[in-house]
Amino acid sequence: MTIRIGILGYGNLGRGVEMAIRQNDDMELVAVFTRRNPADLKIATESAAVLSIDEAKNMTDKIDVMIICGGSATDLPVLTPQFASMFNVIDSFDTHAKIPQHFAAVNETASKSGKVAIISCGWDPGMFSINRLYSNCVLPDGKDYTFWGKGVSQGHSDAIRRIDGVIDARQYTIPVESALEAVRSGKNPELSTRQKHIRECFVVACDDADKERIEREIKQMPNYFADYDTTVHFITMDEMKRDHAALPHGGFVIRCGRTGANGENSHIIEYSLKLDSNPEFTSSVLCAYARAAFKMNLEGARGCKTPFDVAPAYLSPLSGDEIRATLL
Amino acid sequence: MTIRIGILGYGNLGRGVEMAIRQNDDMELVAVFTRRNPADLKIATESAAVLSIDEAKNMTDKIDVMIICGGSATDLPVLTPQFASMFNVIDSFDTHAKIPQHFAAVNETASKSGKVAIISCGWDPGMFSINRLYSNCVLPDGKDYTFWGKGVSQGHSDAIRRIDGVIDARQYTIPVESALEAVRSGKNPELSTRQKHIRECFVVACDDADKERIEREIKQMPNYFADYDTTVHFITMDEMKRDHAALPHGGFVIRCGRTGANGENSHIIEYSLKLDSNPEFTSSVLCAYARAAFKMNLEGARGCKTPFDVAPAYLSPLSGDEIRATLL
């Protein structure tokens, strides 16, 4: 059986989903939906249509799962509940603090429509969350650590770009190696924000800009940089394009726990990702959960789910017999 | 609600489950069942009974989940199907090649009784399998690597003990660091058995034993040692007791995959365990899946499952709202 996929939104994430579909033989891209003029959009899949977002409502019998590729700030809070009233949907909603509210809104429309919606299918939230949950359940007496990087933080890069005199910027979040080692040693250290990550910034400034002021404004920016050790490098636009075009990311989820009559035995569970392309990896996660949504809905499931609610087997194109024989 | 647990078998694993239950506030140990004389067995939980295995059939209304703590060679193939006809059951069956056959036998009795049985709940199979499955689904174009150790292999230690002139032995499986590094680099190397692991053996021999012969017999033993670089150290019984009493283990599951139009982006997913006590960690996994079996059966599930079939949320004592708010 082929799972017929629609992509809503064609930025980095939508293009990544298009590529990921090619790696999954049981999936077919039917159409990309856009808020732009469809005639202006060129996609890589010749067999797929490019349609206006307004046409989606006429495609409910042609698409099994709609993968919603938008931003968490303004796109997904509107689009995911709206499209869950028509389709099985997947998104990568990643504003941790607003997940309960997003879940409630999506659950309302998906429950009514009888569709399955799986939200927050990326790596954090997503694969990292799953690992936090498994580790917490297996080692109840323990402590969690999540480190991010080395990788580009789009939010922090954008924040620098908003400073007067800045033309372009790239911010790398980098875990502090000694903090990682302290955690891995099983010592359960208490670590401040500053002790866990450093922030490294590459900035292209206007020729006449006051670089000392820019550097000061970056380092003192509340929430984004003030609580971190931050370094700032001024570079040329050529250097920016040559050395900082990629969007790598990754990180570590570590839980240290103790067992035994007196907690005498220590255990470390570590999960890590090293990603050349943050959006392409997220797109790959979205595709795997699209398969799960399709299979779960066929079995009668409905409403909003998160990766916590999805048994691993649903992500696989293989049968239960096959995965038990080859991967268990 | 309290989940009432029975433990069948009181070796390393059973004792570990007893300790793990103390870390889970929603669980209570009701009884330990043994094939030995119950009067001879002293357990750590005063409130729990010690009963003959023959009395289990009279306890079906007092126990929600029976955790079967036996060996995979002869105990579990008999006990798990038998007890699944009376209880929700959990085991850590770990003979990979015989999982399909064990699954079929357990599924038959559990389906008839209307109970849930979850088999192969340890770390390999178990947590490692889950990670292999997730990684395969997220990165379909990639390659898997599993490394074990550093840790004590009971099977290999036993094999050495069967050699004439050997009093005691402990075998450590150790991953080859350079192989791990080659995998982590994303080069997708082809690795032979010998290139992935080395085997280090500590042996207490009889005073009059021919140590050269023992060493030769170990190194040439087919399946166990012949395909590996093996080192053998002869030590005293005092040294064995002092330095090799613990049962540490662990390992690494790594998948390297590629994405993008031409596979130009590489991604590494790595999951690792560093365990002071192999049996106590396995026991902790068993307890988490006992909770899942109980919850799934309450919802109407029946039959044999593996960790692949269990949504992560079922392992947690927390509600869906709580895990979404705190761990997603």
Side-chain angles (χ1 to χ4, degrees), chain A residues 46-95:
Chain A
E46 289 192 8
S47 58
V50 180
L51 300 171
S52 159
I53 186 171
D54 301 325
E55 294 191 54
K57 61 179 181 297
N58 306 319
M59 299 283 283
T60 55
D61 60 340
K62 296 195 173 55
I63 286 171
D64 297 311
V65 188
M66 185 73 86
I67 302 180
I68 307 184
C69 301
S72 297
T74 56
D75 297 338
L76 299 178
V78 175
L79 294 175
T80 310
Q82 182 187 335
F83 279 79
S85 70
M86 298 181 279
F87 299 95
N88 297 313
V89 297
I90 303 294
D91 78 20
S92 59
F93 186 80
D94 66 0
T95 312

Side-chain angles (χ1 to χ4, degrees), chain A residues 266-284:
Chain A
S266 169
H267 308 278
I268 316 267
I269 306 174
E270 176 169 342
Y271 179 81
S272 70
L273 295 173
K274 202 167 77 185
L275 312 175
D276 274 0
S277 165
N278 183 354
E280 283 183 10
F281 186 81
T282 300
S283 300
S284 297

